[in-house]
Amino acid sequence: MTYHLYESDPYIKSFDATVEKIDGDWILLDQTAFFPGGGGQECDLGSIGGLRVTEVKAEGDHVYHRVPGHTFNPGQRVHGEIDWDRRYELMKGHTGEHILFSSILRESPDIELVKIHISPSKKSLVIKGHVDWSVISKAQKKANEIIMKGLAVTECWLERNEVSTSGIRAKLERITENKIRIIKIDGFDQAACAGIHVRNTAEVNAIFVTKISSAKPIGDFEISFEVGANAMMKSIFFGAIALHASDVIGAQPEHLVNAVENMKHLVTVLKDSLKKHARERLRSLVPERHGPFKIYSGLFESVDRKLLTDEANRFIQEEKTVCIFGSTDERALFILAVNKDVDIDCPGILNKCLSEFGGKGGGQKHFASGGTTDLIHINEVFRNILDEVRFALSQKVANDR
Ligand SMILES: [Zn+2]
């Protein structure tokens, strides 16, 4: 077995050991400071005998180190050094996770921890149950208070039956051993864990939640966070954005969320009202007549494509009817539609008129739509489509005489 130096001293940065076994790139040592990863925390990296350790894994109590290009032999003494910056970041992240989850649990007692991920680039916890920004904000405040209190983080080993009756956070169904390692944050939290932690919560320095996202199907939510200097810098960065946004919309920062929600509601109400108004205008259109043909036309502002399409479809139910609709938003939208008894090439006309102004159209012979980003010339496009249709219809009227 490999003696796990990292368990008795998580702060050990270098060590000497004897090579016990070689298996290709992989070497087994009699003792190691390299944490092989586990429980969601990534393994340590570093060097052995001056060569890069690219991966570390555990098989039972044995810890294997992958050292590509090594020429070690069993019995040889080697010197190992771990990448301390990486390890310390993972220790802070892992301890931060205990503090954060326990703080969320106080706000939302029904949640359950599904898994965690602790690496230099990603720190998150996946939970089952409901959380929202209001819960997370309170929990985050609590977690930072615990960090600032500088509480001791200690480990102890308990018998399985002691753990099951103690109220300690533990996923006993996932643990096979009878002796279980418990990580205790003085007066705040106790959890079964095999990972590596700092000795005092103050070392975490700060914790900042950066994102709440869906974690379906393995859980309900994934909560991403940063610790230490990264947490400070991100909170400063996003804090400034929140203050700037408050200023832009003229709300106090503490009322920003309410103000944005009110604006969102107002936009919905206004859009509904615009839609209602547009529908009334569309329904009161008076057709222009060309012999037996009728042309309904109109250029609107900010009418959505669905409403225009629905109304065009409704108009062309009438025999010998043509519809020409346009609407402008960030781009211009045009619809040209005719009843099946009107022999007009809708996509052809739309393409011809739109291509002059950098746009294009397409669709069926009797129903075409298209657009352009050239908003300056929309009146011209609209007039051109109307003229093309009038010309086509007048030829049909002349032919029928
Ligand atoms: Zn842990």
Side-chain angles (χ1 to χ4, degrees):
M1 93 162 247
T2 312
Y3 182 70
H4 303 164
L5 294 163
Y6 51 83
E7 272 173 10
S8 48
D9 181 9
Y11 292 81
I12 187 169
K13 299 175 183 73
S14 63
F15 64 102
D16 293 303
T18 303
V19 176
E20 288 209 326
K21 200 176 133 192
I22 303 287
D23 183 5
D25 282 350
W26 294 92
I27 68 166
L28 176 68
L29 302 176
D30 63 337
Q31 60 174 6
T32 188
F34 281 87
F35 176 59
Q41 180 174 338
E42 279 192 1
C43 71
D44 287 334
L45 300 177
S47 66
I48 292 176
L51 297 170
R52 241 159 48 84
V53 175
T54 58
E55 212 179 325
V56 184
K57 66 178 180 184
E59 278 176 18
D61 285 329
H62 298 318
V63 178
Y64 287 87
H65 311 71
R66 189 167 184 220
V67 189
H70 78 82
T71 53
F72 302 137
N73 292 304
Q76 188 176 340
R77 290 290 285 170
V78 289
H79 180 73
E81 283 188 19
I82 63 163
D83 176 345
W84 176 248
D85 287 347
R86 174 186 164 92
R87 152 69 84 77
Y88 196 44
E89 170 79 13
L90 300 185
M91 285 161 69
K92 288 189 284 185
H94 201 142
T95 312
E97 175 272 315
H98 283 237
I99 300 169
L100 182 60
F101 180 75
S102 197
S103 301
I104 302 171
L105 200 57
R106 280 164 163 76
E107 293 297 326
S108 199
D110 295 330
I111 59 164
E112 197 188 313
L113 186 60
V114 178
K115 69 173 242 187
I116 68 169
H117 188 104
I118 305 293
S119 74
S121 59
K122 180 182 173 181
K123 295 170 190 67
S124 77
L125 44 100
V126 171
I127 59 145
K128 264 195 182 134
H130 183 75
V131 292
D132 54 26
W133 274 109
S134 145
V135 165
I136 292 298
S137 299
K138 283 182 209 153
Q140 176 171 259
K141 182 169 174 280
K142 177 76 185 171
N144 280 289
E145 282 164 10
I146 294 298
I147 289 168
M148 283 187 279
K149 272 187 185 168
L151 302 180
V153 182
T154 53
E155 66 159 32
C156 67
W157 293 81
L158 292 180
E159 295 291 336
R160 195 179 180 85
N161 59 342
E162 291 177 276
V163 175
S164 60
T165 55
S166 61
I168 292 171
R169 296 197 288 115
K171 297 238 176 237
L172 285 174
E173 69 280 9
R174 293 189 197 169
I175 302 171
T176 50
E177 295 82 6
N178 277 323
K179 278 269 188 191
I180 298 175
R181 184 166 175 258
I182 306 300
I183 299 300
K184 188 174 167 186
I185 299 173
D186 190 25
F188 179 67
D189 180 57
Q190 293 189 77
C193 186
I196 311 288
H197 312 80
V198 293
R199 282 192 180 133
N200 190 292
T201 60
E203 291 177 58
V204 180
N205 195 254
I207 193 159
F208 183 64
V209 173
T210 53
K211 198 172 168 189
I212 306 172
S213 46
S214 166
K216 304 274 181 207
I218 59 162
D220 289 310
F221 295 100
E222 178 165 22
I223 298 153
S224 305
F225 63 94
E226 296 279 1
V227 291
N230 287 338
M232 298 286 254
M233 292 317 290
K234 287 231 165 141
S235 74
I236 289 168
F237 176 72
F238 288 116
I241 290 176
L243 291 176
H244 187 173
S246 306
D247 224 15
V248 169
I249 69 169
Q252 293 292 325
E254 54 271 43
H255 300 140
L256 179 61
V257 174
N258 272 343
V260 170
E261 273 170 359
N262 287 343
M263 275 176 86
K264 218 173 137 187
H265 176 70
L266 184 63
V267 168
T268 310
V269 169
L270 288 175
K271 273 193 171 167
D272 283 350
S273 153
L274 260 177
K275 204 166 166 177
K276 190 168 160 255
H277 186 71
R279 188 179 286 118
E280 279 166 11
R281 248 190 86 194
L282 278 158
R283 300 235 159 146
S284 60
L285 284 177
V286 178
E288 163 187 332
R289 289 190 174 270
H290 283 262
F293 299 105
K294 285 181 284 187
I295 305 175
Y296 289 95
S297 67
L299 193 53
F300 303 88
E301 259 177 53
S302 301
V303 177
D304 66 69
R305 173 186 283 267
K306 189 176 179 310
L307 177 62
L308 278 191
T309 306
D310 289 350
E311 289 299 309
N313 267 319
R314 197 177 58 79
F315 276 113
I316 60 165
Q317 297 305 311
E318 288 177 44
E319 287 176 4
K320 302 215 180 297
T321 297
V322 179
C323 250
I324 306 165
F325 292 155
S327 176
T328 58
D329 235 319
E330 298 93 58
R331 66 197 309 268
L333 162 76
F334 290 95
I335 287 175
L336 174 56
V338 297
N339 184 285
K340 293 244 159 47
D341 62 4
V342 184
D343 183 22
I344 276 185
D345 173 17
C346 295
I349 292 177
L350 263 195
N351 253 326
K352 184 180 170 194
C353 299
L354 282 166
S355 61
E356 272 184 67
F357 299 99
K360 60 177 184 183
Q364 310 294 319
K365 181 169 186 271
H366 296 101
F367 199 111
S369 63
T372 171
T373 50
D374 182 353
L375 296 180
I376 297 165
H377 294 103
I378 44 160
N379 286 306
E380 205 170 330
V381 175
F382 184 68
R383 247 190 343 264
N384 289 353
I385 299 170
L386 197 55
D387 287 346
E388 287 286 336
V389 170
R390 281 174 182 148
F391 178 70
L393 292 180
S394 57
Q395 281 199 321
K396 288 185 199 311
V397 173
N399 287 343
D400 289 346
R401 273 186 188 140

